[in-house]
Amino acid sequence: MRAMSAADDRFSQARAVVRENPEIAVGVALVALIAVAVVFVVLRARRTPGVRFRQLLAEKEEIAVLMHPNPDPDAMSAAVGVASLAGQVDVDSTVQYPGQIRHQENRAFQTVLDLELEPIGHVSDLAAESVVLVDHNEPRGFAGADGVLPMAVVDHHPGDGAGDSFTDVRTDYGATASVVAEYFRDNDAVPVPPDKHASETPSDLTLATDTATGLLYGILADTKHLTVGASEPDFAAAAYLYPGVDQDRLDRIANPAVDAEVLEVKARAIAGRRVEGSFGVADVGGVNNVDAIPQAADELIQLEGVTAVVVIGERDGTVHLSGRSRDDRVHMGNAIGAVLDDTNNGNGGGHSRMGGGTIEPEIDPTGETESTTVDRDALADGLFRAMAGDV
């Protein structure tokens, strides 16, 4: 009783002090709020991006995972990885893309891994209101794309796009597949070996063999087998994925049959190349398969004495450019972007080692497409100046 009385006396005294000095109460309240805020920030910082992304997915019933137009293995593997992570937190997902899957490597990737990918042509085709962009940070390539506000963005390309709830753009990574692989690792997901079933893995979250195989190939494809543009996280991601990789399927994706037109376009690029110093530009003319253009650039950059190249081609009135650089003086994305920024209907950019762009045909007021008039020689001259730094 005596102890309770003493406590009551101290409490009464404290209340009296507060009444006489209200600023003390305000100060104590502020200190308490600041302490709570600091604890919240610290706890939030300890949550890795992969954990926060999984928790965000778990709040949804369904999502649309959207790739960039004409998706490549990095985009496809990252999208399938996001869909797999969503499925493990009981969220339905649909992987979608504008354009086409044309390149023989890309078709082999889809076929060997038996991927369910849905094409779209209009914003109304999106399978869900909650959209996750992978391998690009601004929706494009379909009608109404500029009206899409993505829930989340996961990418490794430079750009200004952002997600409404989550943005993870790591321009120092060689592939978006590396980022997605890291998400699985952040959540302690265990890669499932190709000779085992997920049920044999002692983990709440797993990384399926087909997903691990796809993610590894996505990393290898975007970094030229970890030799161009790869960073330490790309190597770490590849090492994490390796136990779950199916070597047979990886080989089948990497060595598909080569389209005859691709070989022909490569030959035209080599025979018709124009070289100034260590820079090269080749105009291959009209093509049916625009994916032959970057493959021709890959071929030209291997020529002795050539350190930076751009290949130009045209399909259905649109001029396509694809560039490669192994020259520290030439940022290929900036070089192509600088030239096309000064060209009507031109748009281009990319990374230091790899860039591309297009010049779209003119549209007259009646809505009909007119032929694009592009002075190819002047375009080549501009590209040489840009590669030389004269922009």
Side-chain angles (χ1 to χ4, degrees):
M1 292 292 293
R2 191 176 301 166
M4 290 181 61
S5 177
D8 289 341
D9 288 344
R10 285 195 295 270
F11 183 67
S12 297
Q13 292 171 2
R15 283 198 303 176
V17 170
V18 169
R19 280 198 303 268
E20 295 173 4
N21 302 278
E23 66 276 7
I24 294 178
V26 174
V28 170
L30 285 175
V31 170
L33 285 174
I34 292 171
V36 170
V38 169
V39 170
F40 176 79
V41 169
V42 170
L43 290 176
R44 183 175 179 85
R46 286 179 178 175
R47 287 193 299 157
T48 62
V51 170
R52 287 191 286 113
F53 184 62
R54 175 180 59 79
Q55 291 173 342
L56 175 64
L57 292 178
E59 297 173 359
K60 308 299 178 181
E61 292 186 0
E62 62 177 349
I63 62 169
V65 187
L66 183 61
M67 301 180 284
H68 58 66
N70 313 319
D72 57 10
D74 185 33
M76 287 189 280
S77 65
V80 170
V82 168
S84 174
L85 189 58
Q88 294 192 65
V89 291
D90 298 321
V91 176
D92 294 330
S93 61
T94 304
V95 179
Q96 299 182 290
Y97 66 96
Q100 300 178 354
I101 298 176
R102 293 183 299 249
H103 191 302
Q104 68 270 6
E105 175 192 47
N106 300 347
R107 295 198 304 268
F109 187 93
Q110 181 182 13
T111 301
V112 172
L113 296 179
D114 193 24
L115 304 182
E116 293 185 10
L117 311 175
E118 182 179 297
I120 64 169
H122 190 273
V123 65
S124 61
D125 297 330
L126 287 171
E129 291 185 4
S130 298
V131 177
V132 179
L133 297 189
V134 293
D135 205 34
H136 65 310
N137 54 67
E138 294 182 276
R140 64 180 189 271
F142 57 94
D146 55 355
V148 175
L149 177 60
M151 170 189 79
V153 168
V154 182
D155 191 18
H156 76 123
H157 296 96
D160 299 324
D164 184 50
S165 301
F166 181 89
T167 302
D168 191 2
V169 178
R170 308 184 193 184
T171 56
D172 56 327
Y173 280 44
T176 303
S178 297
V179 180
V180 175
E182 210 169 277
Y183 289 172
F184 280 93
R185 191 178 62 193
D186 286 348
N187 286 283
D188 298 322
V190 176
V192 180
D195 59 347
K196 290 187 177 182
H197 189 269
S199 61
E200 300 177 74
T201 304
S203 176
D204 292 334
L205 287 178
T206 60
L207 177 58
T209 294
D210 54 354
T211 306
T213 303
L215 287 170
L216 179 60
Y217 192 78
I219 296 170
L220 296 177
D222 249 33
T223 63
K224 294 195 179 302
H225 300 278
L226 295 170
T227 63
V228 178
S231 61
E232 182 178 345
D234 297 301
F235 284 90
Y240 163 71
L241 295 167
Y242 183 78
V245 172
D246 186 320
Q247 299 288 345
D248 176 64
R249 284 196 283 179
L250 190 67
D251 179 67
R252 287 163 57 196
I253 296 168
N255 296 290
V258 180
D259 186 277
E261 185 186 15
V262 172
L263 295 176
E264 180 185 340
V265 171
K266 286 182 178 181
R268 295 207 302 260
I270 293 171
R273 69 188 185 279
R274 174 180 159 191
V275 176
E276 294 186 7
S278 61
F279 306 146
V281 175
D283 188 341
V284 297
V287 299
N288 292 316
N289 180 1
V290 295
D291 289 313
I293 297 170
Q295 292 183 71
D298 288 335
E299 195 74 27
L300 279 186
I301 195 63
Q302 297 181 54
L303 296 179
E304 185 176 358
V306 174
T307 61
V309 299
V310 180
V311 176
I312 305 168
E314 181 271 331
R315 183 177 186 271
D316 294 337
T318 298
V319 176
H320 297 263
L321 292 81
S322 184
R324 301 290 183 268
S325 171
R326 51 189 177 89
D327 192 322
D328 290 336
R329 300 168 298 173
V330 181
H331 188 294
M332 185 52 68
N334 290 348
I336 293 179
V339 173
L340 296 188
D341 282 348
D342 295 330
T343 305
N344 289 336
N345 296 330
N347 181 50
H351 292 289
S352 60
R353 300 301 189 190
M354 184 182 303
T358 58
I359 305 173
E360 300 288 345
E362 298 284 347
I363 304 296
D364 70 17
T366 65
E368 295 182 1
T369 301
E370 299 177 348
S371 298
T372 304
T373 303
V374 178
D375 186 333
R376 302 288 186 84
D377 289 335
L379 179 60
D381 290 341
L383 290 167
F384 278 117
R385 288 195 298 272
M387 286 188 282
D390 185 17
V391 292

